[in-house]
Amino acid sequence: MKWLPKFNSSNSLRVIFVIAVFILLFLSSIAYKHNQDLNESSKLVMHTYEINIQLERLMSAIKDAETGQRGYIITRNNRFLSPYLYSRDKVNTSFITLKKLTADNARQQQNLRKLFKLIIQRFTSFENCFKYSDPKTYDKRRLDNYMFGGRILMENIRFQVDKMNDIEKEYLQKRLKIYDEEISLGPVFSISLFLTALTFIILAYRQISRDIHRLMVYNKKLLISSRLMAESEITGKFSTWQWDLDTQKIDYSDNQYRLLGVKPNSFVPEKETFLEYVHPDDRDAIANSMDGILNKKQLPFIYYKVLRADHEIRHFKSTGKLLTDQQGGKILLGINFDITDEHLLNIELQERNDELEKSNKELASFNHVASHDLQEPLRKIQTFISRVSDADKAVLSDSAKEYLNKIEASAKRMRVLIDDLLLFSRTNTTKKEFIKTNLNDIFENAKSELTEVIDEKKATITVSKLPKLSVIPYQIEQLFINLIGNSLKYNRPGIAPEIQVESEKVNSADYHNLLDQNVKKYHKITFKDNGMGFDPQFKETIFVLFQRLHSKTDYPGTGIGLAICKKIADNHKGYIIADSTPDEGSLFTVFLPD
């Protein structure tokens, strides 16, 4: 340790810190890389578990459908159809999730496609069993064939699921091994980093202790000189002052006089003369604060008003700090800020915040009512209606049956309305996490959600290559679903829907009256259909909440879907517009920032 006395200058201190920083950065980079690898391994392990869970859910849904089928065939009771009907949605949900989870695994994607084909065949078998078990179309031979074929399909589905599970188990074993290897290195990096940091902290502390007295002498000069920059005081609307607590002498900077509305050095800076400019409402408080400075040797932040020489009221903020010179003298160095503009702005912001808080409380109350108070009685209504059996309905009069059907239809419309309102509310309130995403994948997910409607209406959808953008994925998927669904809903009778989706990059300057010119490039995505269209005079009002161009008896809906599209575009700092010609189709255009 004989070399330590040589490090007695600021240069040696700098060398120590440079070496310390370099080593710490190096070790920190290694530790960071290790943590990243560990985090990635953890994600891979969880990814495998998620796939296994989804496969189990998929099998459970198919088993529920199979149980419901058997119960219905045996009892002919419609209650047994509920598991079967709900199983389709469960299967589709699990399949979509599995497709996302295995997107980067070609082997599992191929297995997933085989599995989905088998599931489709199984549901087709369900339908045929229902058909030939019905008393009207009963055919024992065909029923037995489809029941036996269903058993074979079920075995094939189980085999395919087990095959995918086995593959994931292989991945899991490898990933757990990597995870265990990486986690064992964590303590080594932590201890190395701690010991290195501790060594250099001790070296630095020894050197700082030697230089601290010399640095304190220069620190006073630096503090005083840095607060006497006249030009910065005028620009920043502040002033400085010095109060020698031993001699009770006060010195003002020139801008202190200007802030009080007088010329520099127009009066002797004393405690009493300053109090003359303090507003009468705050004079006693400031006087007590000055007395406290003499006793406590410090000045915390204080806020008060001053009455300038021109009778204008200004708002001030003052603070101070006690300094000790080489001879032990006590000097209070203070600074005054003219915060009038800030004060007025804070008042305005407080008023706006109060309004915003009130609005948020109303929105929270609405969400609670919509998600709890409204849905609970609605669920009971639908539950009680579903419990009215066919036998019960048979004894009702025709008018009673009609009323019961109307109640059921109204309850369904109310359910759709509440769900759409909650979706619109979540578009405003949920966390907006932007992720770099391929919009082609999102579009495919949206099409999958609408598969049944697309097949039912024999629609044709063509789409060009979509870009990769930083977006809120689930909101963009909802945007695509709403726009495609809108075209499918309002197709012309007897004409199969044709939807064309195209994308191109455009300059904001080409749409000067529409797009934000601070953003140079936008991606323009258009949705064109051959539907019934609408009157162009409504091209703006269709994006307003609850605005409908057709009655709910002609076309189902709540008038919220396009309002949600508008809100999603706003959340992405984008725009959406519409145009149409009646009986020729509609064109919806979405602009998303590049």
Side-chain angles (χ1 to χ4, degrees):
M1 301 296 289
K2 295 180 178 180
W3 52 271
L4 282 175
K6 298 179 181 179
F7 289 83
N8 55 5
S9 67
S10 59
N11 288 332
S12 62
L13 185 60
R14 292 191 187 97
V15 171
I16 292 175
F17 272 108
V18 169
I19 296 174
V21 169
F22 177 81
I23 295 177
L24 288 176
L25 287 175
F26 176 74
L27 291 176
S28 297
S29 64
I30 296 176
Y32 175 79
K33 179 63 170 58
H34 169 71
N35 288 334
Q36 290 293 100
D37 293 340
L38 185 62
N39 185 48
E40 188 64 28
S41 297
S42 176
K43 289 181 179 178
L44 291 174
V45 171
M46 292 305 298
H47 180 270
T48 300
Y49 285 130
E50 289 175 1
I51 292 177
N52 290 335
I53 291 171
Q54 289 302 323
L55 288 171
E56 290 298 327
R57 290 179 178 174
L58 194 65
M59 282 299 302
S60 176
I62 298 174
K63 290 177 182 178
D64 289 345
E66 193 173 48
T67 302
Q69 177 208 35
R70 292 173 181 171
Y72 178 77
I73 292 175
I74 294 171
T75 65
R76 308 307 297 178
N77 191 327
N78 288 333
R79 293 181 182 178
F80 287 95
L81 287 178
S82 296
Y84 169 78
L85 296 175
Y86 289 129
S87 66
R88 286 181 177 269
D89 293 334
K90 292 179 180 178
V91 167
N92 287 334
T93 300
S94 295
F95 179 74
I96 291 171
T97 303
L98 284 169
K99 189 174 181 181
K100 292 179 180 178
L101 291 172
T102 60
D104 58 346
N105 191 328
R107 183 182 178 188
Q108 289 290 58
Q109 282 276 297
Q110 184 178 2
N111 288 330
L112 189 60
R113 286 193 290 269
K114 293 180 181 178
L115 177 60
F116 191 65
K117 289 180 181 178
L118 291 172
I119 292 173
I120 291 175
Q121 294 174 9
R122 185 64 181 116
F123 275 94
T124 302
S125 175
F126 285 149
E127 296 294 337
N128 288 321
C129 289
F130 286 138
K131 178 179 178 181
Y132 294 110
S133 66
D134 190 283
K136 297 179 181 180
T137 58
Y138 179 75
D139 188 328
K140 184 177 184 305
R141 182 181 62 81
R142 292 186 177 181
L143 177 61
D144 290 343
N145 288 338
Y146 283 116
M147 291 290 287
F148 180 76
R151 290 178 56 192
I152 295 175
L153 285 172
M154 197 64 186
E155 291 298 324
N156 290 336
I157 291 173
R158 288 192 183 95
F159 173 81
Q160 192 65 23
V161 170
D162 290 341
K163 181 179 179 181
M164 293 182 69
N165 274 325
D166 291 338
I167 292 174
E168 290 302 322
K169 287 178 181 178
E170 293 177 7
Y171 292 145
L172 180 61
Q173 292 176 355
K174 295 177 181 178
R175 290 165 180 171
L176 285 175
K177 182 178 180 181
I178 295 173
Y179 181 83
D180 292 338
E181 291 175 353
E182 290 177 346
I183 201 171
S184 63
L185 297 176
V188 176
F189 285 114
S190 299
I191 294 173
S192 300
L193 189 62
F194 172 77
L195 293 177
T196 304
L198 182 62
T199 300
F200 284 98
I201 287 173
I202 293 173
L203 294 175
Y205 175 78
R206 293 188 62 179
Q207 187 62 36
I208 291 172
S209 298
R210 296 173 181 176
D211 295 339
I212 191 69
H213 179 72
R214 178 171 52 86
L215 292 176
M216 288 180 63
V217 174
Y218 292 108
N219 190 48
K220 176 185 175 181
K221 297 179 181 179
L222 179 61
L223 288 172
I224 296 174
S225 63
S226 64
R227 288 168 172 81
L228 297 179
M229 297 182 294
E231 191 62 34
S232 62
E233 289 186 7
I234 296 174
T235 303
K237 294 183 179 180
F238 70 92
S239 63
T240 57
W241 47 268
Q242 300 175 54
W243 188 348
D244 191 324
L245 300 181
D246 295 328
T247 63
Q248 294 300 308
K249 181 181 179 182
I250 301 175
D251 290 323
Y252 289 161
S253 66
D254 289 346
N255 206 47
Q256 173 67 34
Y257 297 95
R258 298 189 187 97
L259 293 178
L260 297 176
V262 296
K263 295 181 179 180
N265 301 314
S266 59
F267 63 86
V268 177
E270 296 177 345
K271 173 183 173 182
E272 290 74 14
T273 55
F274 178 75
L275 287 174
E276 293 177 1
Y277 290 93
V278 177
H279 194 279
D281 294 345
D282 300 325
R283 192 167 294 162
D284 292 341
I286 297 302
N288 293 334
S289 177
M290 288 183 171
D291 293 337
I293 294 174
L294 299 176
N295 298 327
K296 300 179 181 179
K297 311 299 183 183
Q298 63 178 351
L299 177 64
F301 273 116
I302 55 174
Y303 298 85
Y304 55 97
K305 300 186 293 293
V306 298
L307 189 61
R308 289 167 36 119
D310 56 5
H311 304 291
E312 181 183 357
I313 297 176
R314 306 292 291 182
H315 294 266
F316 274 35
K317 176 177 72 173
S318 298
T319 187
K321 183 176 182 180
L322 185 65
L323 302 176
T324 304
D325 59 21
Q326 289 179 331
Q327 290 74 34
K330 304 293 185 181
I331 297 178
L332 189 67
L333 184 64
I335 183 169
N336 295 337
F337 299 91
D338 185 338
I339 59 169
T340 304
D341 296 338
E342 178 183 343
H343 176 76
L344 297 177
L345 180 60
N346 286 338
I347 293 176
E348 182 180 354
L349 289 176
Q350 185 61 45
E351 293 174 351
R352 293 183 179 179
N353 287 338
D354 292 341
E355 294 176 359
L356 182 59
E357 184 177 356
K358 180 180 178 182
S359 176
N360 287 339
K361 289 180 179 179
E362 292 174 351
L363 182 59
S365 176
F366 164 79
N367 283 339
H368 180 79
V369 170
S371 60
H372 298 284
D373 299 347
L374 289 180
Q375 294 202 50
E376 179 59 26
L378 185 60
R379 280 194 293 267
K380 289 182 179 179
I381 291 172
Q382 291 179 316
T383 300
F384 292 144
I385 291 175
S386 67
R387 291 180 180 177
V388 178
S389 65
D390 293 337
D392 295 329
K393 291 181 180 179
V395 300
L396 297 176
S397 64
D398 292 339
S399 60
K401 292 178 183 178
E402 182 180 356
Y403 292 148
L404 189 61
N405 290 333
K406 288 183 177 180
I407 292 173
E408 186 175 6
S410 297
K412 289 180 180 179
R413 286 199 301 271
M414 188 65 178
R415 169 69 65 184
V416 173
L417 177 60
I418 291 174
D419 291 341
D420 284 353
L421 282 172
L422 287 174
L423 179 59
F424 181 80
S425 175
R426 283 194 294 269
T427 305
N428 283 328
T429 58
T430 53
K431 183 180 179 181
K432 300 176 178 61
E433 183 178 0
F434 287 80
I435 301 174
K436 189 77 170 181
T437 309
N438 190 331
L439 299 193
N440 295 286
D441 296 337
I442 294 181
F443 190 86
E444 290 302 318
N445 293 339
K447 282 180 60 179
S448 297
E449 289 289 327
L450 300 169
T451 298
E452 292 186 6
V453 182
I454 293 173
D455 294 341
E456 176 187 347
K457 297 200 173 186
K458 299 179 180 179
T460 302
I461 301 177
T462 57
V463 56
S464 65
K465 184 178 181 180
L466 299 178
K468 290 184 178 179
L469 293 175
S470 291
V471 296
I472 309 170
Y474 77 92
Q475 289 195 7
I476 294 298
E477 182 174 333
Q478 188 64 49
L479 173 71
F480 288 168
I481 290 173
N482 287 3
L483 291 178
I484 297 173
N486 194 73
S487 297
L488 294 173
K489 181 191 297 184
Y490 297 107
N491 68 303
R492 284 183 285 173
I495 299 177
E498 294 181 2
I499 305 172
Q500 296 179 347
V501 183
E502 297 181 351
S503 174
E504 63 174 320
K505 186 181 288 189
V506 297
N507 297 318
S508 59
D510 297 335
Y511 300 86
H512 184 75
N513 296 326
L514 174 64
L515 303 181
D516 183 1
Q517 298 303 302
N518 293 323
V519 180
K520 300 301 181 184
K521 299 284 186 180
Y522 281 83
H523 286 274
K524 174 185 175 184
I525 305 175
T526 57
F527 292 75
K528 183 179 181 181
D529 62 50
N530 63 340
M532 60 187 299
F534 58 86
D535 193 326
Q537 66 175 320
F538 300 115
K539 64 182 182 180
E540 294 182 359
T541 57
I542 59 175
F543 294 109
V544 179
L545 199 63
F546 299 121
Q547 290 296 319
R548 295 173 51 89
L549 303 184
H550 306 276
S551 67
K552 62 178 179 291
T553 57
D554 295 334
Y555 294 92
T558 59
I560 299 177
L562 290 179
I564 292 176
C565 293
K566 176 68 164 59
K567 180 56 64 176
I568 291 173
D570 292 342
N571 289 344
H572 288 78
K573 307 300 182 184
Y575 302 86
I576 182 171
I577 58 175
D579 200 4
S580 180
T581 301
D583 297 326
E584 293 186 11
S586 302
L587 176 66
F588 288 86
T589 305
V590 180
F591 294 91
L592 297 176
D594 183 19

